[in-house]
Amino acid sequence: MKPITTVISRIAPKEKRHPNVILNVGKNNGVIPQMKFYRARRGEPFFIFEVISVDEHTAEAAVVLVSGSDDKKAQPKAGWKLSSRAPKNTAQVMPF
């Protein structure tokens, strides 16, 4: 299966520690509920997002993991690029 790449198009209103994000991909791109998207950048916190709802052209995802330096202050930002392919170093940053 080919990985899906996306961009965070906007940030949902913050209702908890980390706000949900709106992705610019949806059902027509193969996105399904519970699908994971990853953001890994050297020197920045590692994020995992899980899709919680999907429309035809967009999806809403929740932050399920933030790991790395200063992860308590880390917040997702519009414009970030994400991928459904887990990075090679995922096992090193996952706490379990």
Side-chain angles (χ1 to χ4, degrees):
M1 177 190 219
K2 188 176 177 180
I4 298 170
T5 57
T6 185
V7 172
I8 296 176
S9 57
R10 66 183 173 90
I11 306 296
K14 189 173 180 178
E15 299 175 7
K16 52 190 185 271
R17 182 173 168 184
H18 296 289
N20 289 350
V21 298
I22 308 302
L23 307 177
N24 68 348
V25 292
K27 288 179 187 175
N28 65 331
N29 304 97
V31 177
I32 59 172
Q34 299 180 341
M35 183 176 237
K36 305 285 191 293
F37 284 91
Y38 305 87
R39 182 174 192 272
R41 300 288 181 271
R42 186 172 297 222
E44 295 182 24
F46 174 77
F47 279 79
I48 298 178
F49 298 86
E50 183 175 310
V51 174
I52 56 174
S53 66
V54 185
D55 292 324
E56 205 57 38
H57 301 286
T58 61
E60 184 171 357
V63 174
V64 293
L65 179 91
V66 180
S67 178
S69 63
D70 210 13
D71 59 344
K72 291 182 176 150
K73 293 181 182 178
Q75 295 294 321
K77 294 179 178 40
W80 277 6
K81 294 179 182 179
L82 310 177
S83 176
S84 63
R85 177 179 287 166
K88 292 178 184 177
N89 67 343
T90 301
Q92 296 172 353
V93 295
M94 300 279 287
F96 40 86

